[in-house]
């Protein structure tokens, strides 16, 4: 079984909440509760807008422009600040880990993730996921990214597994499910928020909780 990382194995939304608290502590003072809520929503908007870009300068820069901080990070330091702090905001849910362990006893498991090598490796190491998986593929490291079917084929080749013997689970319909199905891998859409599928992509299966994965693998 092949896994996506962000918003599949790891809860990125919770990590963004933690990152926001770090930014508040480092850069702001005496912010009203109502303003904090507004700032958090804007921060999430900017994060979503620039999701997939390695350079996160615009995310924090946009927040600072709209809500001027007392201690503004220098533009040249924003990227390092993000890289140093954000990976430490991630932790893996124990239930998710239990599911991963159950599946690992029955077959090979791997991660295929888009993103910068430095940040994704830090997230994986900080969550101790590197000790569980047989293979971890990061887009920047291999020069391919989802939904390119070649990144899925690369993983199968390294694992010595045929496409029909593999399953991929991810939260992104286009990048994860569309991509893996182009490589003839069955795609399981992890959809905990029960988002409506407005695409033409038809997942092999849809699950709303991680526990459901086990039944697909046994």
């Amino acid at each position: 079984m092949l896994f996506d990382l962000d918003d599949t194995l790891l809860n990125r939304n919770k990590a963004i909440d933690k990152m926001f608290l770090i930014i508040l502590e480092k850069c702001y003072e005496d912010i009203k509760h109502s303003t904090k809520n507004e700032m958090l929503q804007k921060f999430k908007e900017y994060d979503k807008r620039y999701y997939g870009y390695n350079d996160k300068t615009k995310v924090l820069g946009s927040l600072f422009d709209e809500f001027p901080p007392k201690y503004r990070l220098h533009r040249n330091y924003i990227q390092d600040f993000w890289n140093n702090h954000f990976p430490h905001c991630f932790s893996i849910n124990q239930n998710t880990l239990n599911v991963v362990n159950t599946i690992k006893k029955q077959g090979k498991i791997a991660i295929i993730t888009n993103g910068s090598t430095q940040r994704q490796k830090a997230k994986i190491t900080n969550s101790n996921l590197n000790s569980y998986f047989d293979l971890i593929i990061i887009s920047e490291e291999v020069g391919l990214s989802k939904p390119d079917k070649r990144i899925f084929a690369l993983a199968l080749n390294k694992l010595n597994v045929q496409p029909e013997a593999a399953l991929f689970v991810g939260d992104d319909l286009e990048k994860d499910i569309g991509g893996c199905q182009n490589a003839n891998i069955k795609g399981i859409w992890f959809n905990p928020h029960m988002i409506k599928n407005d695409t033409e992509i038809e997942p092999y299966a849809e699950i709303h909780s991680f526990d459901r994965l086990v039944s697909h693998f046994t």
Side-chain angles (χ1 to χ4, degrees), residues 103-148:
I103 293 170
K104 183 177 172 64
K105 289 172 186 171
Q106 301 173 61
K108 295 174 182 176
I109 55 173
I111 292 172
I112 304 177
T113 177
N114 287 357
S116 83
T117 305
Q118 179 189 352
R119 280 201 302 271
Q120 299 306 79
K121 275 189 173 177
K123 288 178 198 174
I124 290 162
T125 304
N126 290 330
S127 305
N128 202 31
L129 285 173
N130 51 323
S131 61
Y132 292 91
F133 286 82
D134 300 297
L135 176 70
I136 295 168
I137 290 184
I138 301 171
S139 63
E140 188 180 72
E141 209 166 32
V142 298
L144 298 165
S145 60
K146 299 177 292 183
D148 190 326

Side-chain angles (χ1 to χ4, degrees), residues 79-217:
Q79 186 64 38
D80 286 339
F81 179 83
W82 187 282
N83 288 345
N84 290 337
H85 290 285
F86 192 48
H88 295 278
C89 296
F90 286 84
S91 59
I92 188 159
N93 178 285
Q94 187 58 49
N95 182 55
T96 302
L97 206 52
N98 293 342
V99 172
V100 167
N101 267 325
T102 301
I103 293 170
K104 183 177 172 64
K105 289 172 186 171
Q106 301 173 61
K108 295 174 182 176
I109 55 173
I111 292 172
I112 304 177
T113 177
N114 287 357
S116 83
T117 305
Q118 179 189 352
R119 280 201 302 271
Q120 299 306 79
K121 275 189 173 177
K123 288 178 198 174
I124 290 162
T125 304
N126 290 330
S127 305
N128 202 31
L129 285 173
N130 51 323
S131 61
Y132 292 91
F133 286 82
D134 300 297
L135 176 70
I136 295 168
I137 290 184
I138 301 171
S139 63
E140 188 180 72
E141 209 166 32
V142 298
L144 298 165
S145 60
K146 299 177 292 183
D148 190 326
K149 65 181 181 180
R150 291 175 296 172
I151 196 168
F152 299 96
L154 176 67
L156 293 184
N157 188 42
K158 285 180 177 287
L159 292 168
N160 195 24
V161 171
Q162 294 301 312
E164 57 271 16
L167 292 166
F168 186 92
V169 58
D171 69 295
D172 190 303
L173 273 168
E174 182 193 349
K175 293 189 176 94
D176 293 327
I177 308 307
C180 77
Q181 290 183 167
N182 285 338
N184 298 316
I185 299 167
K186 291 172 181 170
I188 298 175
W189 183 29
F190 179 52
N191 184 21
H193 305 299
M194 300 188 188
I195 299 162
K196 186 183 176 188
N197 182 357
D198 290 324
T199 74
E200 294 181 359
I201 296 165
E202 293 184 17
Y204 166 70
E206 178 181 337
I207 57 169
H208 301 135
S209 74
F210 227 70
D211 311 65
R212 301 297 304 155
L213 276 182
V214 178
S215 64
H216 288 286
F217 201 74

Side-chain angles (χ1 to χ4, degrees), residues 14-32:
K14 282 187 179 178
I16 284 291
D17 287 343
K18 289 181 183 176
M19 184 66 174
F20 176 70
L21 293 178
I22 292 170
I23 294 163
L24 274 187
E25 186 185 333
K26 301 275 184 186
C27 305
Y28 292 88
E29 275 186 5
D30 304 323
I31 303 291
K32 291 179 186 174

Side-chain angles (χ1 to χ4, degrees), residues 50-63:
Y50 299 111
Y51 183 65
Y53 292 87
N54 285 343
D55 184 0
K56 298 299 180 181
T57 308
K58 286 184 178 177
V59 178
L60 284 186
S62 299
L63 182 73

